[in-house]
Amino acid sequence: MHKERSFIDKVYLFLKGLAMGAANKVPGVSGGTVSFVFGFYEELIYSFRKVNLKAFKLLFNGRFKSFYRYINGQFLLLIMGGSIFSYFSISLVLDYFLVNYELYVWSWFFGMIIGSIYYIGKDFGDWNLKNIFSLIIGASVGIGISFLTPATENDNLWFVFLCGIIGVSGMTLPGLSGSFILILLGNYVLLLVDSVNVLFNVITSLLSGNFNVLSDPIKVRYLKIISVFTVGSAFGLVSISHVLGYVLKRWNQIVNAVIIGFITGSLGIVWPWKKAIYLKENNNFLIDKKGNKIIENYERFIPDFSNSETWFALFYIVIGILLILVIDFYGRKKK
């Protein structure tokens, strides 16, 4: 699936990677949904599937150009490069807005997901009984996940490796948020906040000539954790993509119906009007190793329509929907 791309196409692809990376970090939002809406989902799955035994033979035999073309290297570099860059740039800005304007950020994502359901579903085609049943299964799983109780933090390296495999699912399965899954596993803060921040700190220290950071046992621990998590994520990307590629080829409509169901079910996770419920024991809040209160789940509620904040939130929902419709319009015009 190697394609010749213009410079503008490459820039757009990198920007799509930025969007996917930012979405992957936000609990409740799936990077896979972004890839589906932006129209590069199947190429993404296809490219990850090409990381196989034949690819490694080409690499070990020194046929680097053939290896690069075989795995659709240009596409993967641009998408993954954008996603990784996003973790140290756009996602940090997103973290700021989540802390200071949480309701509006969730409203915007809620609107985008509504728009995505329309975008993906409008050209689906044959809604027969089998596909409707698949849609219901996908939606039920998505809703069910939103009501699970999160576990406590666990820094065991084997468990961190498993978190990498499961957490990366958000990139390959539209509607299934890898970040939210990591919250349920209890390791979201450890893997996507603390470890990423330490890695950034270590890199900046090394670039400035300070090598003492490598003798700091706490920083070394976090570097081990993020390294194992990265390896688990890479393994998960390749293995899940092989499975998805197989089922997409044979049961395309059923898989797409399940995906639309997942995305619909994820609206329960992203519902803007909610407050955190924290774990208590004998009327005292339980805290994790970092001193943070442990979230048990979220209490969702109907907004107060006499409050101006609610109407601002509804405005951002509409903005989110319109953004997807503009993308749809642009895609149709380009075709």
Side-chain angles (χ1 to χ4, degrees):
M1 195 178 272
H2 179 83
K3 297 177 182 177
E4 294 300 326
R5 288 182 164 93
S6 67
F7 175 75
I8 295 297
D9 289 335
K10 292 174 186 176
V11 171
Y12 280 145
L13 207 52
F14 183 79
L15 293 175
K16 289 172 182 178
L18 285 178
M20 188 170 73
N24 277 324
K25 195 174 179 182
V26 178
V29 184
S30 166
T33 302
V34 172
S35 67
F36 215 99
V37 171
F38 283 176
F40 63 91
Y41 179 70
E42 290 199 15
E43 186 173 2
L44 184 73
I45 298 300
Y46 173 87
S47 301
F48 284 139
R49 285 186 71 201
K50 286 296 183 178
V51 182
N52 52 28
L53 189 60
K54 182 178 177 180
F56 285 114
K57 283 181 179 177
L58 290 171
L59 184 63
F60 293 139
N61 289 332
R63 297 174 60 188
F64 302 117
K65 191 173 181 180
S66 297
F67 167 78
Y68 182 76
R69 290 181 67 87
Y70 179 74
I71 65 167
N72 200 11
Q74 184 187 87
F75 170 82
L76 285 179
L77 277 177
L78 290 167
I79 286 294
M80 300 310 295
S83 295
I84 293 167
F85 182 77
S86 176
Y87 263 72
F88 300 102
S89 56
I90 290 177
S91 60
L92 297 178
V93 177
L94 205 54
D95 288 343
Y96 168 81
F97 281 104
L98 275 169
V99 170
N100 295 282
Y101 305 99
E102 184 180 17
L103 175 62
Y104 301 145
V105 173
W106 285 124
S107 299
W108 184 53
F109 280 124
F110 190 79
M112 286 181 67
I113 291 175
I114 291 174
S116 300
I117 294 166
Y118 161 75
Y119 180 89
I120 298 168
K122 64 182 170 53
D123 297 324
F124 183 83
D126 184 20
W127 281 107
N128 56 35
L129 192 62
K130 190 187 294 182
N131 292 334
I132 292 171
F133 182 68
S134 302
L135 174 78
I136 293 170
I137 289 175
S140 302
V141 172
I143 294 168
I145 287 172
S146 68
F147 289 99
L148 292 176
T149 302
T152 54
E153 185 175 290
N154 184 345
D155 62 0
N156 178 279
L157 293 181
W158 282 109
F159 185 71
V160 168
F161 181 80
L162 180 65
C163 285
I165 295 173
I166 298 172
V168 82
S169 61
M171 192 178 288
T172 51
L173 289 169
L176 189 62
S177 168
S179 298
F180 188 75
I181 296 297
L182 289 179
I183 286 180
L184 295 178
L185 294 172
N187 273 3
Y188 175 79
V189 174
L190 174 68
L191 298 174
L192 293 188
V193 179
D194 293 344
S195 295
V196 171
N197 290 339
V198 168
L199 176 63
F200 183 70
N201 178 261
V202 168
I203 290 171
T204 52
S205 297
L206 291 174
L207 290 174
S208 64
N210 177 17
F211 294 93
N212 292 330
V213 289
L214 296 177
S215 59
D216 184 333
I218 295 175
K219 286 186 169 60
V220 169
R221 170 180 167 267
Y222 278 112
L223 289 176
K224 283 181 182 175
I225 287 170
I226 198 165
S227 298
V228 172
F229 178 67
T230 303
V231 172
S233 298
F235 178 79
L237 272 178
V238 175
S239 55
I240 294 172
S241 297
H242 276 79
V243 174
L244 276 174
Y246 178 84
V247 296
L248 275 169
K249 199 172 183 179
R250 283 155 181 79
W251 304 289
N252 188 276
Q253 276 207 325
I254 290 175
V255 173
N256 283 328
V258 171
I259 286 171
I260 294 170
F262 267 144
I263 295 173
T264 306
S266 72
L267 287 171
I269 302 171
V270 193
W271 178 252
W273 295 279
K274 58 180 179 284
K275 63 179 180 180
I277 302 171
Y278 298 100
L279 274 176
K280 280 185 177 181
E281 192 175 88
N282 298 325
N283 270 346
N284 294 317
F285 289 110
L286 296 179
I287 58 173
D288 60 22
K289 295 176 185 176
K290 307 290 185 307
N292 300 314
K293 288 186 285 188
I294 299 171
I295 295 175
E296 181 180 9
N297 215 312
Y298 292 94
E299 180 185 335
R300 295 160 182 85
F301 56 89
I302 302 299
D304 178 7
F305 289 97
S306 65
N307 190 332
S308 61
E309 193 179 55
T310 299
W311 290 100
F312 276 114
L314 291 171
F315 170 75
Y316 281 104
I317 290 175
V318 173
I319 292 294
I321 295 170
L322 288 176
L323 178 63
I324 300 300
L325 295 179
V326 167
I327 292 169
D328 177 37
F329 174 77
Y330 170 77
R332 288 176 179 273
K333 191 175 179 182
K334 193 175 179 183
K335 285 178 182 177

